[in-house]
Short mmCIF file of all heavy atoms in Angstrom, two decimals:
data_model
loop_
_atom_site.label_atom_id
_atom_site.label_comp_id
_atom_site.label_asym_id
_atom_site.label_seq_id
_atom_site.Cartn_x
_atom_site.Cartn_y
_atom_site.Cartn_z
N GLU Q 1 0.84 -1.21 0.00
CA GLU Q 1 0.00 0.00 0.00
C GLU Q 1 0.86 1.25 0.00
O GLU Q 1 1.80 1.38 0.80
CB GLU Q 1 -0.91 0.00 1.23
CG GLU Q 1 -1.78 1.25 1.37
CD GLU Q 1 -2.75 1.41 0.22
OE1 GLU Q 1 -3.76 0.68 0.20
OE2 GLU Q 1 -2.48 2.26 -0.66
N MET Q 2 0.55 2.18 -0.91
CA MET Q 2 1.32 3.42 -1.03
C MET Q 2 0.67 4.60 -0.31
O MET Q 2 1.34 5.60 0.00
CB MET Q 2 1.51 3.76 -2.51
CG MET Q 2 2.31 2.70 -3.27
SD MET Q 2 2.20 2.87 -5.07
CE MET Q 2 3.01 4.44 -5.31
N VAL Q 3 -0.63 4.52 -0.04
CA VAL Q 3 -1.36 5.61 0.60
C VAL Q 3 -1.25 5.49 2.11
O VAL Q 3 -1.57 4.44 2.69
CB VAL Q 3 -2.84 5.61 0.18
CG1 VAL Q 3 -3.62 6.70 0.92
CG2 VAL Q 3 -2.97 5.79 -1.33
N ARG Q 4 -0.81 6.55 2.74
CA ARG Q 4 -0.70 6.56 4.19
C ARG Q 4 -2.01 7.09 4.79
O ARG Q 4 -2.58 8.05 4.30
CB ARG Q 4 0.46 7.45 4.62
CG ARG Q 4 0.77 7.40 6.11
CD ARG Q 4 2.06 8.12 6.39
NE ARG Q 4 2.46 8.00 7.78
CZ ARG Q 4 3.59 8.48 8.27
NH1 ARG Q 4 4.46 9.11 7.47
NH2 ARG Q 4 3.89 8.34 9.55
N ASN Q 5 -2.46 6.44 5.86
CA ASN Q 5 -3.70 6.82 6.54
C ASN Q 5 -4.87 6.76 5.56
O ASN Q 5 -5.65 7.70 5.42
CB ASN Q 5 -3.57 8.23 7.15
CG ASN Q 5 -4.73 8.58 8.06
OD1 ASN Q 5 -5.46 7.72 8.53
ND2 ASN Q 5 -4.93 9.87 8.29
N ARG Q 6 -5.02 5.61 4.92
CA ARG Q 6 -6.00 5.46 3.85
C ARG Q 6 -7.43 5.46 4.37
O ARG Q 6 -8.38 5.71 3.63
CB ARG Q 6 -5.73 4.18 3.07
CG ARG Q 6 -5.96 2.90 3.85
CD ARG Q 6 -5.56 1.68 3.05
NE ARG Q 6 -5.83 0.45 3.78
CZ ARG Q 6 -5.48 -0.76 3.35
NH1 ARG Q 6 -4.84 -0.88 2.20
NH2 ARG Q 6 -5.77 -1.83 4.06
N SER Q 7 -7.62 5.15 5.66
CA SER Q 7 -8.98 5.12 6.21
C SER Q 7 -9.19 6.18 7.29
O SER Q 7 -10.16 6.10 8.04
CB SER Q 7 -9.31 3.72 6.75
OG SER Q 7 -8.32 3.29 7.66
N PHE Q 8 -8.28 7.13 7.37
CA PHE Q 8 -8.45 8.31 8.23
C PHE Q 8 -8.67 7.95 9.70
O PHE Q 8 -9.47 8.57 10.39
CB PHE Q 8 -9.62 9.18 7.72
CG PHE Q 8 -9.72 9.25 6.24
CD1 PHE Q 8 -10.87 8.82 5.58
CD2 PHE Q 8 -8.67 9.71 5.47
CE1 PHE Q 8 -10.97 8.86 4.19
CE2 PHE Q 8 -8.75 9.76 4.09
CZ PHE Q 8 -9.90 9.34 3.45
N GLN Q 9 -7.89 6.96 10.16
CA GLN Q 9 -8.08 6.48 11.53
C GLN Q 9 -6.93 6.85 12.47
O GLN Q 9 -6.90 6.38 13.59
CB GLN Q 9 -8.23 4.95 11.52
CG GLN Q 9 -9.37 4.44 10.67
CD GLN Q 9 -10.72 4.89 11.19
OE1 GLN Q 9 -11.03 4.71 12.36
NE2 GLN Q 9 -11.52 5.49 10.32
N HIS Q 10 -6.00 7.68 12.02
CA HIS Q 10 -4.87 8.01 12.89
C HIS Q 10 -5.36 8.74 14.12
O HIS Q 10 -6.05 9.76 14.04
CB HIS Q 10 -3.84 8.87 12.14
CG HIS Q 10 -2.95 8.05 11.27
ND1 HIS Q 10 -1.58 8.08 11.37
CD2 HIS Q 10 -3.22 7.16 10.30
CE1 HIS Q 10 -1.05 7.24 10.48
NE2 HIS Q 10 -2.03 6.68 9.82
N ARG Q 11 -4.97 8.23 15.27
CA ARG Q 11 -5.43 8.77 16.54
C ARG Q 11 -4.97 10.23 16.71
O ARG Q 11 -3.78 10.52 16.65
CB ARG Q 11 -4.89 7.93 17.70
CG ARG Q 11 -5.47 8.27 19.05
CD ARG Q 11 -4.90 7.38 20.11
NE ARG Q 11 -3.46 7.56 20.24
CZ ARG Q 11 -2.74 7.12 21.26
NH1 ARG Q 11 -3.33 6.45 22.21
NH2 ARG Q 11 -1.45 7.32 21.31
N GLY Q 12 -5.92 11.13 16.94
CA GLY Q 12 -5.59 12.52 17.18
C GLY Q 12 -5.34 13.32 15.92
O GLY Q 12 -5.40 14.55 15.93
N LYS Q 13 -5.02 12.64 14.80
CA LYS Q 13 -4.75 13.34 13.54
C LYS Q 13 -5.41 12.55 12.42
O LYS Q 13 -4.75 11.91 11.61
CB LYS Q 13 -3.25 13.47 13.30
CG LYS Q 13 -2.53 14.37 14.30
CD LYS Q 13 -1.06 14.51 13.93
CE LYS Q 13 -0.33 15.43 14.90
NZ LYS Q 13 1.11 15.56 14.55
N ASN Q 14 -6.74 12.61 12.38
CA ASN Q 14 -7.47 11.74 11.46
C ASN Q 14 -7.10 11.95 10.00
O ASN Q 14 -7.21 11.03 9.18
CB ASN Q 14 -8.98 11.92 11.65
CG ASN Q 14 -9.47 11.27 12.92
OD1 ASN Q 14 -8.74 10.52 13.55
ND2 ASN Q 14 -10.68 11.59 13.32
N PHE Q 15 -6.67 13.17 9.65
CA PHE Q 15 -6.33 13.43 8.25
C PHE Q 15 -4.84 13.64 8.07
O PHE Q 15 -4.40 14.31 7.14
CB PHE Q 15 -7.13 14.63 7.74
CG PHE Q 15 -8.62 14.44 7.85
CD1 PHE Q 15 -9.42 15.40 8.43
CD2 PHE Q 15 -9.21 13.26 7.41
CE1 PHE Q 15 -10.79 15.21 8.56
CE2 PHE Q 15 -10.58 13.06 7.53
CZ PHE Q 15 -11.37 14.04 8.11
N ALA Q 16 -4.02 13.03 8.95
CA ALA Q 16 -2.57 13.08 8.79
C ALA Q 16 -2.20 12.52 7.42
O ALA Q 16 -2.79 11.54 6.96
CB ALA Q 16 -1.89 12.27 9.89
N SER Q 17 -1.22 13.15 6.77
CA SER Q 17 -0.72 12.79 5.44
C SER Q 17 -1.64 13.23 4.31
O SER Q 17 -1.34 12.99 3.15
CB SER Q 17 -0.43 11.29 5.31
OG SER Q 17 0.49 10.89 6.30
N TRP Q 18 -2.76 13.87 4.63
CA TRP Q 18 -3.67 14.39 3.61
C TRP Q 18 -3.61 15.90 3.61
O TRP Q 18 -3.68 16.53 4.66
CB TRP Q 18 -5.10 13.91 3.85
CG TRP Q 18 -5.29 12.45 3.62
CD1 TRP Q 18 -5.22 11.45 4.55
CD2 TRP Q 18 -5.56 11.82 2.38
NE1 TRP Q 18 -5.44 10.24 3.98
CE2 TRP Q 18 -5.65 10.43 2.63
CE3 TRP Q 18 -5.75 12.27 1.08
CZ2 TRP Q 18 -5.91 9.50 1.62
CZ3 TRP Q 18 -6.01 11.35 0.07
CH2 TRP Q 18 -6.09 9.99 0.34
N LEU Q 19 -3.52 16.50 2.42
CA LEU Q 19 -3.39 17.95 2.27
C LEU Q 19 -4.34 18.45 1.19
O LEU Q 19 -4.69 17.70 0.27
CB LEU Q 19 -1.96 18.32 1.87
CG LEU Q 19 -0.84 17.91 2.83
CD1 LEU Q 19 0.51 18.10 2.15
CD2 LEU Q 19 -0.92 18.71 4.11
N PRO Q 20 -4.78 19.72 1.26
CA PRO Q 20 -5.57 20.29 0.17
C PRO Q 20 -4.75 20.34 -1.12
O PRO Q 20 -3.53 20.54 -1.09
CB PRO Q 20 -5.90 21.70 0.67
CG PRO Q 20 -5.66 21.68 2.14
CD PRO Q 20 -4.57 20.68 2.37
N ALA Q 21 -5.39 20.18 -2.26
CA ALA Q 21 -4.73 20.27 -3.56
C ALA Q 21 -5.69 20.94 -4.53
O ALA Q 21 -6.92 20.82 -4.41
CB ALA Q 21 -4.33 18.89 -4.06
N SER Q 22 -5.15 21.65 -5.50
CA SER Q 22 -6.02 22.34 -6.46
C SER Q 22 -5.28 22.63 -7.75
O SER Q 22 -4.04 22.58 -7.81
CB SER Q 22 -6.54 23.65 -5.85
OG SER Q 22 -5.47 24.55 -5.61
N ARG Q 23 -6.05 22.93 -8.79
CA ARG Q 23 -5.56 23.43 -10.06
C ARG Q 23 -6.32 24.71 -10.36
O ARG Q 23 -7.55 24.75 -10.22
CB ARG Q 23 -5.78 22.41 -11.19
CG ARG Q 23 -4.98 21.13 -11.03
CD ARG Q 23 -3.49 21.36 -11.33
NE ARG Q 23 -2.74 20.12 -11.27
CZ ARG Q 23 -2.21 19.61 -10.15
NH1 ARG Q 23 -2.39 20.25 -9.01
NH2 ARG Q 23 -1.52 18.48 -10.19
N GLY Q 24 -5.62 25.75 -10.79
CA GLY Q 24 -6.26 27.03 -11.00
C GLY Q 24 -6.67 27.63 -9.67
O GLY Q 24 -5.94 27.54 -8.66
N ASN Q 25 -7.87 28.22 -9.61
CA ASN Q 25 -8.34 28.87 -8.39
C ASN Q 25 -9.32 28.01 -7.61
O ASN Q 25 -10.05 28.51 -6.75
CB ASN Q 25 -8.98 30.22 -8.74
CG ASN Q 25 -7.96 31.20 -9.26
OD1 ASN Q 25 -6.84 31.28 -8.74
ND2 ASN Q 25 -8.33 31.94 -10.31
N GLY Q 26 -9.36 26.73 -7.91
CA GLY Q 26 -10.24 25.86 -7.16
C GLY Q 26 -9.81 25.75 -5.71
O GLY Q 26 -8.65 25.95 -5.36
N SER Q 27 -10.76 25.43 -4.83
CA SER Q 27 -10.44 25.29 -3.40
C SER Q 27 -11.27 24.18 -2.80
O SER Q 27 -12.27 23.73 -3.37
CB SER Q 27 -10.71 26.61 -2.67
OG SER Q 27 -12.09 26.93 -2.70
N VAL Q 28 -10.85 23.73 -1.63
CA VAL Q 28 -11.52 22.62 -0.96
C VAL Q 28 -11.55 22.84 0.54
O VAL Q 28 -10.62 23.41 1.12
CB VAL Q 28 -10.79 21.28 -1.28
CG1 VAL Q 28 -9.36 21.30 -0.77
CG2 VAL Q 28 -11.56 20.09 -0.70
N GLU Q 29 -12.64 22.43 1.15
CA GLU Q 29 -12.76 22.41 2.60
C GLU Q 29 -12.81 20.96 3.06
O GLU Q 29 -13.60 20.17 2.52
CB GLU Q 29 -14.02 23.15 3.04
CG GLU Q 29 -14.24 23.15 4.55
CD GLU Q 29 -15.54 23.82 4.95
OE1 GLU Q 29 -15.97 24.76 4.24
OE2 GLU Q 29 -16.13 23.39 5.95
N ILE Q 30 -11.94 20.60 4.01
CA ILE Q 30 -11.84 19.21 4.48
C ILE Q 30 -12.41 19.13 5.89
O ILE Q 30 -12.02 19.91 6.77
CB ILE Q 30 -10.38 18.73 4.48
CG1 ILE Q 30 -9.76 18.89 3.08
CG2 ILE Q 30 -10.29 17.28 4.94
CD1 ILE Q 30 -8.27 18.59 3.05
N GLU Q 31 -13.31 18.19 6.11
CA GLU Q 31 -13.85 17.98 7.45
C GLU Q 31 -14.20 16.51 7.63
O GLU Q 31 -14.22 15.73 6.67
CB GLU Q 31 -15.08 18.86 7.67
CG GLU Q 31 -16.20 18.61 6.67
CD GLU Q 31 -17.35 19.57 6.85
OE1 GLU Q 31 -17.69 19.88 8.01
OE2 GLU Q 31 -17.93 20.01 5.83
N GLY Q 32 -14.46 16.14 8.85
CA GLY Q 32 -14.81 14.76 9.13
C GLY Q 32 -16.23 14.44 8.74
O GLY Q 32 -17.15 15.21 9.04
N GLY Q 33 -16.41 13.33 8.04
CA GLY Q 33 -17.75 12.88 7.68
C GLY Q 33 -18.31 12.00 8.78
O GLY Q 33 -17.59 11.24 9.44
N THR Q 34 -19.61 12.09 9.00
CA THR Q 34 -20.23 11.36 10.11
C THR Q 34 -20.76 10.00 9.69
O THR Q 34 -21.41 9.31 10.47
CB THR Q 34 -21.38 12.18 10.70
OG1 THR Q 34 -22.32 12.47 9.65
CG2 THR Q 34 -20.86 13.47 11.31
N ASP Q 35 -20.50 9.60 8.46
CA ASP Q 35 -20.91 8.27 8.02
C ASP Q 35 -19.76 7.65 7.24
O ASP Q 35 -18.79 8.30 6.89
CB ASP Q 35 -22.17 8.33 7.17
CG ASP Q 35 -21.94 9.08 5.87
OD1 ASP Q 35 -20.96 9.87 5.80
OD2 ASP Q 35 -22.71 8.89 4.92
N GLY Q 36 -19.89 6.35 6.99
CA GLY Q 36 -18.85 5.63 6.27
C GLY Q 36 -19.45 4.44 5.56
O GLY Q 36 -20.65 4.13 5.70
N PRO Q 37 -18.66 3.70 4.80
CA PRO Q 37 -19.18 2.59 3.99
C PRO Q 37 -19.43 1.30 4.74
O PRO Q 37 -19.96 0.35 4.16
CB PRO Q 37 -18.09 2.40 2.94
CG PRO Q 37 -16.84 2.84 3.63
CD PRO Q 37 -17.23 3.97 4.54
N SER Q 38 -19.02 1.22 6.02
CA SER Q 38 -19.18 -0.05 6.76
C SER Q 38 -19.22 0.22 8.24
O SER Q 38 -18.87 1.31 8.72
CB SER Q 38 -18.03 -1.01 6.43
OG SER Q 38 -16.81 -0.50 6.95
N THR Q 39 -19.61 -0.81 8.98
CA THR Q 39 -19.60 -0.71 10.44
C THR Q 39 -18.18 -0.56 10.96
O THR Q 39 -17.93 0.17 11.94
CB THR Q 39 -20.23 -1.98 11.04
OG1 THR Q 39 -21.56 -2.12 10.54
CG2 THR Q 39 -20.27 -1.90 12.56
N ALA Q 40 -17.22 -1.22 10.31
CA ALA Q 40 -15.82 -1.14 10.74
C ALA Q 40 -15.24 0.24 10.49
O ALA Q 40 -14.37 0.70 11.23
CB ALA Q 40 -14.99 -2.21 10.03
N LEU Q 41 -15.69 0.90 9.41
CA LEU Q 41 -15.20 2.23 9.05
C LEU Q 41 -16.40 3.18 9.00
O LEU Q 41 -16.92 3.51 7.93
CB LEU Q 41 -14.48 2.20 7.70
CG LEU Q 41 -13.25 1.28 7.61
CD1 LEU Q 41 -12.68 1.26 6.20
CD2 LEU Q 41 -12.19 1.68 8.63
N PRO Q 42 -16.86 3.65 10.17
CA PRO Q 42 -18.13 4.38 10.25
C PRO Q 42 -18.00 5.88 9.98
O PRO Q 42 -19.00 6.59 10.02
CB PRO Q 42 -18.57 4.14 11.69
CG PRO Q 42 -17.28 4.01 12.45
CD PRO Q 42 -16.32 3.34 11.51
N THR Q 43 -16.77 6.37 9.75
CA THR Q 43 -16.57 7.79 9.47
C THR Q 43 -15.85 7.93 8.14
O THR Q 43 -15.46 6.95 7.51
CB THR Q 43 -15.76 8.46 10.59
OG1 THR Q 43 -14.48 7.82 10.69
CG2 THR Q 43 -16.47 8.36 11.93
N SER Q 44 -15.65 9.17 7.72
CA SER Q 44 -15.06 9.41 6.41
C SER Q 44 -14.40 10.79 6.38
O SER Q 44 -14.42 11.52 7.36
CB SER Q 44 -16.13 9.31 5.32
OG SER Q 44 -17.18 10.25 5.56
N MET Q 45 -13.84 11.11 5.23
CA MET Q 45 -13.33 12.46 4.97
C MET Q 45 -14.29 13.12 4.00
O MET Q 45 -14.51 12.63 2.88
CB MET Q 45 -11.92 12.40 4.39
CG MET Q 45 -11.35 13.77 4.06
SD MET Q 45 -9.57 13.75 3.68
CE MET Q 45 -9.55 12.79 2.17
#
């Protein structure tokens, strides 16, 4: 696996190794999602 913190579970730093990225003047807001695709992974980015 090449992606670090692929399921956003790092304790205290859920989005460690993830950064905003853009092309042109696009922008993004990153926050924790309150749902996820499974019981094991109940949150998201």
Side-chain angles (χ1 to χ4, degrees):
E1 177 63 75
M2 297 166 65
V3 176
R4 187 171 185 176
N5 190 19
R6 67 185 183 185
S7 53
F8 322 120
Q9 302 296 308
H10 279 236
R11 189 179 62 166
K13 294 183 179 180
N14 286 348
F15 302 130
S17 302
W18 291 94
L19 301 169
S22 64
R23 294 287 184 273
N25 293 319
S27 64
V28 62
E29 179 183 329
I30 304 173
E31 58 185 321
T34 57
D35 65 339
S38 67
T39 303
L41 300 177
T43 60
S44 58
M45 179 169 65

